[in-house]
Amino acid sequence: KAAVLREVNRPLEIEDIDIASPGPREVLIRTGASGVCHSDLHFVEGLYSTPMPVILGHEAAGTIEAVGEQVEYVRPGDRVITCLSVFCGTCERCTEGRTVLCSRTGLNRTANQTPRLSQNGEEVTQFANLSSYAEQMLVHENAVVKIDRDVPFEQLALIGCGATTGLGAALNTAAVRPGSTVAVIGCGGVGLNAIQGAALAGALRIIAIDAVETKLTLAQEFGATEVIDASGGDVVSKVRDLTNGGVDYSFEAIGKKETAEQAFHMLRAGGTATIIGMIPQGTKIELDGPSFLREKRIQGSSMGSNHFRTDMPQYVEFYLQGRLKLDELVSRRLGLEDINEAFEYMKEGSVARSVITF
């Protein structure tokens, strides 16, 4: 059973899908839980494109059911978190240690091989090399990290994308310095984790910005020292007034032109803006040219610049120590048949994360 998207802006449909047996270096996973991430909604709404039909979902955890030849890292029964940052280990970026930017050559089946996912003999697109809105996933072994600790699947699933993306943006991409001042625009699942990452890094002030009051309240529970209600407008001026000139680090966790530009304009001299959100394809952002003379920077962050086989087990330990909030991120627990309702809750802005449990 899987939730299949066949057309932009149409409901996903629960259908029976054929899943192949594991080939060399592939593992079959029984899905335990899958978070519903805003990135998936971008594809439902056509802001990003992918071949259809497609099974979305990429934030998951589960249990290894079977392994193919040459798999040595995991065995049946192992509990794992999946990650879309699957890596080959041999390309230029991998050998530089930037596995999140892997070329991903040779990690998928070729056109003359049986597809991993199909229906009536026709291929169904595997989204982000994962497709977690399904009872089972067939993935390359380098798309999983083994977790030995006894943590529920719904919390592990959140580490698979939202937590790693937000935490890593602060800890890895931007490398927030102790004592610095931070602003986070957008307090959904990723933004809340950027706040947690900044707090773990030792930021002195963390300003949370959102237009939804309940999310600002949640942001304070996650480590924000101050909040700004964006519905009142003039966000940049408010940040600059609060900080006497701007922040050292800003994080955009929505994916819009306006908020990406705000992230840059609220920086102090020498500050860095990190864009986490997925700005729609074809969208251009405009920045003030002379600001670069003040050594202001803007950069992207892909999945928190992770080294997920190292990072994710550390995040599990932070959670078990009580230093990382994950339980509080789970706003709703739903079944696979409720996937379309999960997207509606997301569009309403009423959830930090909905989690599909199996």
Side-chain angles (χ1 to χ4, degrees):
K1 287 283 191 295
V4 182
L5 177 66
R6 295 191 169 275
E7 189 178 339
V8 168
N9 284 319
R10 299 289 297 173
L12 280 65
E13 299 176 9
I14 308 303
E15 302 179 12
D16 289 317
I17 298 294
D18 296 317
I19 190 164
S21 298
R25 303 203 69 189
E26 290 181 336
V27 298
L28 180 67
I29 302 168
R30 172 67 58 177
T31 312
S34 176
V36 182
C37 181
H38 204 279
S39 303
D40 297 320
L41 183 61
H42 285 313
F43 290 87
V44 174
E45 295 180 334
L47 300 178
Y48 279 75
S49 61
T50 185
M52 297 191 192
V54 60
I55 300 170
L56 297 175
H58 63 276
E59 184 178 77
T63 305
I64 299 291
E65 286 200 321
V67 303
E69 297 176 356
Q70 303 171 33
V71 173
E72 298 180 356
Y73 176 62
V74 289
R75 64 183 64 182
D78 285 344
R79 301 168 82 249
V80 297
I81 302 174
T82 63
C83 185
L84 61 83
S85 305
V86 56
F87 59 92
C88 70
T90 58
C91 71
E92 182 179 2
R93 287 290 179 253
C94 280
T95 54
E96 289 175 345
R98 303 181 73 186
T99 52
V100 73
L101 301 178
C102 174
S103 65
R104 302 196 170 99
T105 303
L107 298 177
N108 294 302
R109 295 191 175 190
T110 61
N112 59 359
Q113 292 178 300
T114 302
R116 288 175 179 166
L117 303 171
S118 62
Q119 188 182 58
N120 301 321
E122 297 295 322
E123 182 174 3
V124 176
T125 298
Q126 183 178 41
F127 179 71
N129 298 299
L130 296 174
S131 289
S132 65
Y133 296 157
E135 294 175 322
Q136 292 176 305
M137 296 175 281
L138 180 63
V139 306
H140 192 281
E141 67 169 327
N142 285 358
V144 305
V145 55
K146 182 167 52 177
I147 301 297
D148 296 325
R149 305 286 263 159
D150 186 18
V151 174
F153 282 130
E154 58 189 52
Q155 280 77 18
L156 293 180
L158 298 184
I159 291 175
C161 177
T164 291
T165 298
L167 291 165
L171 296 170
N172 300 332
T173 314
V176 170
R177 298 188 314 275
S180 58
T181 301
V182 171
V184 177
I185 306 172
C187 299
V190 171
L192 289 172
N193 279 294
I195 289 170
Q196 292 202 95
L200 284 168
L204 186 62
R205 300 177 69 184
I206 304 171
I207 303 167
I209 303 165
D210 204 290
V212 179
E213 184 177 351
T214 54
K215 289 188 175 181
L216 292 176
T217 300
L218 200 56
Q220 290 176 301
E221 296 176 18
F222 276 70
T225 58
E226 294 142 279
V227 299
I228 292 176
D229 184 348
S231 63
D234 208 14
V235 167
V236 172
S237 293
K238 290 176 181 176
V239 170
R240 295 180 72 86
D241 289 344
L242 262 180
T243 57
N244 193 29
V247 295
D248 299 302
Y249 303 94
S250 64
F251 297 90
E252 196 277 355
I254 299 174
K256 292 184 176 180
K257 168 185 166 66
E258 176 187 8
T259 46
E261 292 169 353
Q262 288 174 347
F264 182 77
H265 293 138
M266 65 178 59
L267 295 174
R268 65 182 299 184
T272 300
T274 300
I275 309 302
I276 314 171
M278 292 176 61
I279 298 172
Q281 289 174 324
T283 301
K284 305 292 190 295
I285 65 172
E286 299 175 76
L287 305 174
D288 174 49
S291 294
F292 291 106
L293 297 174
R294 301 293 290 159
E295 297 193 359
K296 297 182 181 182
R297 302 172 179 86
I298 188 166
Q299 63 182 352
S301 178
S302 176
M303 278 294 294
S305 305
N306 72 73
H307 300 88
F308 72 87
R309 283 195 176 166
T310 301
D311 295 347
M312 291 185 181
Q314 290 177 352
Y315 298 153
V316 170
E317 293 303 316
F318 277 131
Y319 167 71
L320 290 172
Q321 291 176 10
R323 298 164 66 189
L324 179 66
K325 293 181 183 295
L326 293 176
D327 301 346
E328 296 83 352
L329 286 169
V330 181
S331 305
R332 291 181 181 268
R333 295 167 179 84
L334 305 168
L336 184 62
E337 67 278 4
D338 304 315
I339 184 63
N340 295 305
E341 285 83 352
F343 286 126
E344 289 303 315
Y345 296 139
M346 183 185 296
K347 287 189 279 189
E348 291 170 4
S350 61
V351 295
R353 257 311 185 265
S354 294
V355 177
I356 304 295
T357 56
F358 294 83

